[in-house]
Amino acid sequence: MEFRAKRGDFLATLYWTQGVVERRNTMPILANVLIEASKSDVRLTATDLEVGVRGRLDAEVSGEGTITVNAKKLYEIVREAPEETLQLKRLENDWLEVKSGKSVFKIVGMEAREFPQFPKFEKEQLSTVPANLLREMIEQTIFSVSVDETRYSLNGVFVEEAGSGKIRMVATDGHRLALIEREIGSLNLDKGVILPRKGLAEVRKLLEGGGDGVVSMGFKENMGLIVKDDVELFMRLIEGDFPDYTKVIPKDNTQVVRIEKDELLHALRRVSILSSERYKGIKMELKQGQLSISASNPDLGEAVEEIDMDYQGKSLVVGFNARYLLDVLAVLETGGEVEISFKDALSPSLLKKGGDDGYLYVVMPMRL
């Protein structure tokens, strides 16, 4: 195997492998990137068996072949290479030689035969999806995914068809729930699937700065695939049943507050400075025409901020983990109002973005 490639192209393609390769080293080959040189292009693949990525780049191939080498070290070498042209050549005993200008690197590699296979998808199994809507759906749900590995079915985002060409994404960790619905066309799903958080984090990275383009997306058995330009990303779906989220969405919250999103976000940030580091507890007190946000910590002190607003309901005091409110306010588009509806101090509250019927966020109160 031997080929020449532009440093910039090689580095850009290699970049996608960095977040995917296995860090824990349970299988040494999973820390490697698979390099496949064929007639006119080179493909780079990395996987941790749960998430995988494959990118292609143009190259002058003088000898076809395959090899795997450490993904992190290869990335560092290519990033620091002095010239714009790289020459890569496979040597005996699975070593890889990288030349750039007067620099020569020889890296220990492993035979490609042991590298896991990339799943095959037919073109008919893929649907076209607007990149900006998919990115918005991921950003506005992924922060609610549970990090508790004992609750395996909550470690991802639930995706299902909602009819009329709409797709719904739901994530919850038991303390809060984010739900978004957007018209992006059918994904040919017979039933809902759970996409792992790591896979979606890589998809979000892939879609950053993508503008108004489209991506291809499809599902087969226990795999999901997303293709954007020359990069393919697959992920193993989480097995198990996602809980019935419709039961936790409040239907009878009658105390409604409308407030400028940015004003609430900044007030919460200021007040939560003096809340406890671990629980971030803050108190929201609703009064006629006013919302009072306060935090009290015997070790640090106390903070209070009052916001004038149009509220004519009865007085109510509710405790929250400030982080749960800050997380959702940070991912909603800047500007505009949010609507928060309450029932009482012990029932879940419902937050919606003004003018957006396709998004809701449920947050459990906290005893203070």
Side-chain angles (χ1 to χ4, degrees):
M1 180 197 85
E2 189 173 352
F3 63 88
R4 291 164 70 89
K6 287 181 181 163
R7 176 183 158 274
D9 294 350
F10 201 81
L11 191 66
T13 308
L14 202 51
Y15 167 77
W16 301 114
T17 67
Q18 297 303 292
V20 171
V21 285
E22 176 65 67
R23 296 267 182 262
R24 291 191 294 262
N25 243 353
T26 43
M27 286 170 62
I29 202 159
L30 297 183
N32 286 8
V33 58
L34 169 66
I35 304 171
E36 299 172 283
S38 56
K39 287 170 188 169
S40 61
D41 64 7
V42 169
R43 290 196 295 186
L44 306 177
T45 309
T47 181
D48 66 354
L49 299 182
E50 299 300 317
V51 179
V53 66
R54 179 167 66 191
R56 67 164 293 283
L57 65 139
D58 293 327
E60 295 172 30
V61 179
S62 48
E64 296 184 12
T66 59
I67 193 172
T68 81
V69 292
N70 185 282
K72 190 166 179 290
K73 290 300 172 195
L74 183 61
Y75 181 74
E76 288 172 0
I77 287 168
V78 174
R79 189 179 59 199
E80 300 301 334
E83 298 282 334
E84 265 310 304
T85 304
L86 295 173
Q87 186 166 350
L88 285 84
K89 182 181 181 182
R90 179 181 168 161
L91 307 176
E92 284 182 18
N93 298 328
D94 297 311
W95 281 52
L96 178 71
E97 180 183 77
V98 182
K99 282 184 183 176
S100 177
K102 293 181 179 177
S103 299
V104 180
F105 300 88
K106 291 180 181 174
I107 322 167
V108 178
M110 292 174 78
E111 205 175 342
R113 262 202 319 236
E114 296 171 36
F115 200 84
Q117 291 270 314
F118 202 88
K120 285 186 171 64
F121 276 76
E122 304 300 327
K123 279 207 165 63
E124 303 81 62
Q125 294 170 308
L126 300 176
S127 309
T128 304
V129 174
N132 57 345
L133 284 182
L134 182 60
R135 185 176 67 244
E136 178 196 25
M137 292 180 81
I138 294 170
E139 278 177 356
Q140 295 188 8
T141 51
I142 195 169
F143 65 92
S144 290
V145 172
S146 174
V147 292
D148 180 356
E149 293 194 359
T150 60
R151 308 182 74 181
Y152 190 55
S153 61
L154 300 185
N155 289 168
V157 175
F158 181 67
V159 182
E160 66 177 351
E161 305 258 356
S164 308
K166 288 184 178 175
I167 295 296
R168 184 181 298 137
M169 282 191 180
V170 189
T172 181
D173 62 4
H175 302 288
R176 46 129 162 239
L177 177 144
L179 180 151
I180 189 167
E181 210 172 84
R182 291 288 183 263
E183 202 168 313
I184 63 174
S186 172
L187 294 178
N188 303 315
L189 286 172
D190 299 328
K191 59 176 186 141
V193 295
I194 307 172
L195 303 182
R197 189 175 57 170
K198 179 178 176 178
L200 285 175
E202 290 302 316
V203 173
R204 180 174 61 180
K205 214 191 291 181
L206 189 63
L207 299 177
E208 276 172 7
D212 299 329
V214 294
V215 296
S216 301
M217 189 173 181
F219 299 93
K220 184 176 85 170
E221 294 160 8
N222 67 337
M223 288 288 178
L225 180 76
I226 289 170
V227 183
K228 181 176 184 286
D229 302 330
D230 286 334
V231 181
E232 300 168 85
L233 196 142
F234 82 84
M235 61 190 96
R236 192 181 297 278
L237 305 178
I238 291 177
E239 291 173 17
D241 295 321
F242 198 79
D244 183 1
Y245 58 87
T246 56
K247 288 181 179 169
V248 299
I249 299 172
K251 305 283 190 292
D252 51 358
N253 284 12
T254 51
Q255 319 291 337
V256 181
V257 170
R258 286 182 186 83
I259 188 166
E260 278 294 320
K261 187 215 103 168
D262 292 338
E263 191 177 1
L264 178 60
L265 174 64
H266 295 305
L268 282 166
R269 275 188 184 149
R270 286 189 287 267
V271 172
S272 65
I273 292 169
L274 290 186
S275 63
S276 96
E277 283 298 320
R278 191 167 174 205
Y279 297 111
K280 286 284 179 199
I282 54 111
K283 201 180 282 182
M284 278 188 168
E285 189 174 351
L286 297 173
K287 297 178 276 202
Q288 290 281 329
Q290 197 177 68
L291 169 67
S292 170
I293 304 172
S294 60
S296 176
N297 181 341
D299 299 327
L300 294 172
E302 53 189 46
V304 63
E305 182 158 343
E306 292 177 343
I307 301 172
D308 294 327
M309 56 170 195
D310 181 23
Y311 176 69
Q312 306 303 328
K314 61 184 181 184
S315 296
L316 180 66
V317 179
V318 190
F320 288 108
N321 181 326
R323 194 178 293 116
Y324 294 160
L325 293 172
L326 288 169
D327 283 349
V328 67
L329 294 172
V331 297
L332 294 177
E333 288 166 22
T334 50
E337 284 188 333
V338 290
E339 177 186 291
I340 310 175
S341 54
F342 305 88
K343 182 181 182 185
D344 54 48
L346 300 176
S347 301
S349 298
L350 185 64
L351 184 146
K352 292 184 174 183
K353 179 92 164 78
D356 183 358
D357 294 333
Y359 187 74
L360 63 84
Y361 183 72
V362 181
V363 58
M364 294 297 291
M366 176 178 181
R367 288 177 191 268
L368 290 173

